[in-house]
Coordinates of all heavy atoms in Angstrom, one line a residue:
P1 N -62.5 67.6 -47.7 CA -63.6 67.1 -48.4 C -64.8 68.1 -48.4 O -65.6 68.2 -49.4 CB -64.0 65.8 -47.6 CG -62.6 65.4 -47.0 CD -61.9 66.7 -46.7
I2 N -65.0 68.9 -47.3 CA -66.2 69.8 -47.3 C -66.0 70.9 -48.3 O -66.9 71.4 -48.9 CB -66.4 70.3 -45.9 CG1 -67.7 71.1 -45.8 CG2 -65.2 71.2 -45.4 CD1 -68.9 70.2 -46.0
V3 N -64.7 71.3 -48.5 CA -64.5 72.4 -49.5 C -64.7 71.9 -50.9 O -65.4 72.5 -51.7 CB -63.0 72.9 -49.3 CG1 -62.7 73.9 -50.5 CG2 -62.8 73.6 -48.0
Q4 N -64.2 70.7 -51.2 CA -64.4 70.1 -52.5 C -65.8 69.8 -52.8 O -66.3 70.1 -53.9 CB -63.5 68.9 -52.6 CG -62.0 69.2 -52.5 CD -61.1 67.9 -52.6 OE1 -61.6 66.8 -52.4 NE2 -59.9 68.2 -53.0
A5 N -66.6 69.3 -51.8 CA -68.0 69.1 -52.0 C -68.8 70.3 -52.3 O -69.6 70.4 -53.2 CB -68.6 68.3 -50.8
C6 N -68.5 71.4 -51.5 CA -69.2 72.6 -51.7 C -68.9 73.3 -53.1 O -69.7 73.9 -53.7 CB -69.0 73.6 -50.6 SG -69.8 73.1 -49.0
E7 N -67.6 73.2 -53.5 CA -67.2 73.7 -54.8 C -67.9 73.0 -55.9 O -68.4 73.6 -56.9 CB -65.7 73.6 -55.0 CG -64.9 74.6 -54.1 CD -63.4 74.5 -54.3 OE1 -62.9 73.4 -54.7 OE2 -62.7 75.4 -54.0
T8 N -68.1 71.7 -55.8 CA -68.7 70.9 -56.8 C -70.2 71.2 -56.8 O -70.8 71.4 -57.9 CB -68.6 69.4 -56.5 OG1 -67.2 69.1 -56.6 CG2 -69.3 68.5 -57.5
L9 N -70.9 71.4 -55.7 CA -72.3 71.6 -55.6 C -72.7 73.0 -56.0 O -73.8 73.2 -56.6 CB -72.8 71.4 -54.2 CG -72.9 69.9 -53.7 CD1 -73.0 69.8 -52.2 CD2 -74.0 69.1 -54.5
T10 N -71.8 74.0 -55.8 CA -72.1 75.4 -56.1 C -71.6 75.8 -57.5 O -72.1 76.8 -58.1 CB -71.6 76.4 -55.1 OG1 -70.2 76.3 -55.1 CG2 -72.2 76.0 -53.7
G11 N -70.5 75.1 -58.0 CA -69.8 75.6 -59.2 C -68.9 76.7 -59.0 O -68.3 77.3 -60.0
Y12 N -68.5 77.1 -57.7 CA -67.6 78.2 -57.5 C -66.4 77.7 -56.7 O -66.5 76.8 -55.8 CB -68.3 79.3 -56.6 CG -69.4 80.0 -57.3 CD1 -70.7 79.9 -56.9 CD2 -69.1 80.8 -58.4 CE1 -71.8 80.5 -57.5 CE2 -70.2 81.5 -59.0 CZ -71.5 81.4 -58.6 OH -72.5 82.0 -59.2
R13 N -65.2 78.2 -56.9 CA -64.1 78.0 -56.1 C -64.2 78.7 -54.8 O -64.7 79.8 -54.7 CB -62.8 78.5 -56.8 CG -62.4 77.7 -58.0 CD -61.9 76.2 -57.7 NE -60.9 76.2 -56.7 CZ -59.6 76.3 -57.0 NH1 -59.2 76.4 -58.2 NH2 -58.7 76.2 -56.0
A14 N -63.7 78.1 -53.7 CA -63.7 78.6 -52.4 C -62.9 79.9 -52.4 O -61.8 80.0 -52.9 CB -63.3 77.6 -51.4
E15 N -63.3 80.9 -51.6 CA -62.7 82.2 -51.6 C -62.4 82.6 -50.2 O -62.5 81.8 -49.2 CB -63.7 83.3 -52.2 CG -64.1 82.9 -53.6 CD -65.2 83.9 -54.1 OE1 -65.6 84.8 -53.3 OE2 -65.6 83.7 -55.3
A16 N -61.9 83.9 -50.0 CA -61.6 84.5 -48.7 C -62.5 85.7 -48.6 O -62.8 86.4 -49.5 CB -60.1 84.8 -48.6
V17 N -62.8 86.1 -47.3 CA -63.6 87.3 -47.0 C -63.0 88.0 -45.8 O -62.2 87.4 -45.1 CB -65.1 87.0 -46.7 CG1 -65.8 86.5 -48.0 CG2 -65.2 86.0 -45.6
A18 N -63.4 89.3 -45.7 CA -62.8 90.1 -44.6 C -63.6 89.9 -43.3 O -63.0 90.1 -42.2 CB -62.8 91.5 -45.0
F19 N -64.9 89.6 -43.3 CA -65.7 89.6 -42.1 C -65.4 88.3 -41.3 O -65.0 87.2 -41.9 CB -67.2 89.7 -42.4 CG -67.8 88.7 -43.3 CD1 -68.2 87.5 -42.8 CD2 -68.0 88.9 -44.6 CE1 -68.9 86.5 -43.6 CE2 -68.6 88.0 -45.5 CZ -69.0 86.8 -45.0
A20 N -65.6 88.3 -40.0 CA -65.4 87.2 -39.2 C -66.6 86.4 -38.9 O -67.7 86.9 -39.0 CB -64.8 87.7 -37.8
T21 N -66.4 85.1 -38.6 CA -67.5 84.1 -38.3 C -67.2 83.2 -37.2 O -66.1 83.3 -36.6 CB -67.8 83.3 -39.6 OG1 -66.8 82.3 -39.7 CG2 -67.9 84.1 -40.9
E22 N -68.0 82.3 -36.9 CA -67.8 81.3 -35.9 C -66.9 80.1 -36.4 O -66.7 79.2 -35.7 CB -69.1 80.7 -35.4 CG -69.9 81.8 -34.6 CD -71.4 81.3 -34.3 OE1 -72.0 80.7 -35.1 OE2 -71.8 81.6 -33.2
G23 N -66.5 80.2 -37.7 CA -65.7 79.1 -38.3 C -64.5 78.7 -37.5 O -64.3 77.4 -37.3
P24 N -63.7 79.6 -37.0 CA -62.5 79.1 -36.2 C -62.8 78.2 -35.0 O -62.1 77.3 -34.6 CB -61.7 80.4 -35.8 CG -62.7 81.5 -36.0 CD -63.6 81.0 -37.1
Y25 N -64.0 78.5 -34.4 CA -64.4 77.7 -33.2 C -64.8 76.3 -33.6 O -64.4 75.3 -32.9 CB -65.5 78.5 -32.4 CG -65.1 79.8 -32.0 CD1 -65.5 81.0 -32.7 CD2 -64.2 80.0 -30.9 CE1 -65.1 82.2 -32.3 CE2 -63.8 81.3 -30.5 CZ -64.3 82.4 -31.3 OH -63.9 83.7 -30.9
L26 N -65.5 76.2 -34.7 CA -65.8 74.8 -35.1 C -64.5 74.1 -35.6 O -64.4 72.9 -35.4 CB -66.8 74.9 -36.3 CG -68.2 75.4 -35.9 CD1 -69.2 75.2 -37.0 CD2 -68.7 74.8 -34.6
N27 N -63.6 74.8 -36.2 CA -62.3 74.1 -36.6 C -61.6 73.6 -35.3 O -61.0 72.6 -35.3 CB -61.4 75.1 -37.3 CG -61.7 75.1 -38.8 OD1 -62.6 74.4 -39.3 ND2 -61.0 75.9 -39.6
Q28 N -61.7 74.4 -34.2 CA -61.1 74.0 -33.0 C -61.7 72.7 -32.5 O -61.0 71.9 -31.7 CB -61.2 75.1 -31.9 CG -60.3 76.3 -32.2 CD -60.5 77.4 -31.2 OE1 -60.8 77.2 -30.1 NE2 -60.3 78.6 -31.7
L29 N -63.0 72.4 -32.8 CA -63.6 71.2 -32.4 C -63.3 70.0 -33.3 O -63.7 68.9 -33.1 CB -65.1 71.4 -32.4 CG -65.7 72.2 -31.3 CD1 -67.1 72.7 -31.6 CD2 -65.7 71.4 -30.0
G30 N -62.4 70.3 -34.3 CA -62.0 69.2 -35.2 C -62.9 69.0 -36.4 O -62.7 68.1 -37.2
A31 N -63.8 70.0 -36.7 CA -64.6 69.9 -37.9 C -64.0 70.8 -38.9 O -63.8 72.0 -38.7 CB -66.0 70.3 -37.5
Q32 N -63.7 70.2 -40.1 CA -63.3 71.1 -41.2 C -64.5 71.9 -41.7 O -65.5 71.3 -42.0 CB -62.7 70.2 -42.3 CG -61.4 69.5 -42.0 CD -60.9 68.6 -43.1 OE1 -61.7 68.0 -43.8 NE2 -59.6 68.5 -43.2
T33 N -64.3 73.2 -41.7 CA -65.5 74.1 -41.7 C -65.4 75.0 -43.0 O -64.4 75.4 -43.4 CB -65.5 75.0 -40.5 OG1 -65.6 74.1 -39.3 CG2 -66.8 75.9 -40.5
L34 N -66.6 75.2 -43.5 CA -66.7 76.1 -44.7 C -67.9 77.1 -44.4 O -68.9 76.7 -43.7 CB -67.1 75.3 -46.0 CG -66.9 76.1 -47.2 CD1 -65.5 75.9 -47.8 CD2 -67.9 75.7 -48.3
I35 N -67.8 78.3 -44.9 CA -68.8 79.3 -44.7 C -69.6 79.3 -46.1 O -69.0 79.6 -47.1 CB -68.3 80.7 -44.4 CG1 -67.2 80.5 -43.3 CG2 -69.4 81.6 -43.9 CD1 -67.5 79.9 -42.0
L36 N -70.9 79.1 -46.0 CA -71.7 79.1 -47.3 C -73.2 79.3 -46.9 O -73.8 78.5 -46.2 CB -71.5 77.7 -48.0 CG -72.4 77.5 -49.2 CD1 -71.9 78.4 -50.4 CD2 -72.3 76.0 -49.6
G37 N -73.7 80.4 -47.4 CA -75.1 80.7 -47.2 C -75.8 81.5 -48.2 O -75.1 82.1 -49.1
P38 N -77.1 81.6 -48.2 CA -77.9 82.2 -49.4 C -77.9 83.7 -49.4 O -78.2 84.3 -50.4 CB -79.3 81.6 -49.2 CG -79.4 81.4 -47.7 CD -78.0 81.0 -47.2
G39 N -77.7 84.4 -48.3 CA -77.8 85.8 -48.2 C -76.6 86.5 -48.8 O -75.6 85.8 -49.2
D40 N -76.6 87.8 -48.9 CA -75.5 88.6 -49.4 C -75.1 89.5 -48.3 O -75.9 90.2 -47.6 CB -75.9 89.5 -50.6 CG -76.1 88.6 -51.9 OD1 -75.2 87.8 -52.2 OD2 -77.1 88.7 -52.5
I41 N -73.8 89.6 -48.0 CA -73.3 90.4 -46.9 C -73.7 91.9 -47.1 O -73.8 92.6 -46.1 CB -71.7 90.2 -46.8 CG1 -71.3 90.7 -45.4 CG2 -71.0 90.9 -47.9 CD1 -71.8 89.9 -44.2

């Protein structure tokens, strides 16, 4: 649901990136996680 909601709100399909984040740790807590922010890498 979080992926589909963010795709709808941004108008972009979810992608993959090479850099690492804290995402896997939040997934381990049971939260389906998405990376989405205003800056540019």
Side-chain angles (χ1 to χ4, degrees):
I2 190 67
V3 173
Q4 295 179 340
C6 288
E7 288 180 338
T8 299
L9 288 165
T10 64
Y12 294 113
R13 288 294 304 273
E15 303 172 1
V17 292
F19 60 83
T21 75
E22 295 171 319
Y25 301 101
L26 296 190
N27 274 1
Q28 289 174 32
L29 284 165
Q32 294 179 325
T33 304
L34 194 93
I35 318 302
L36 177 68
D40 288 309
I41 197 64

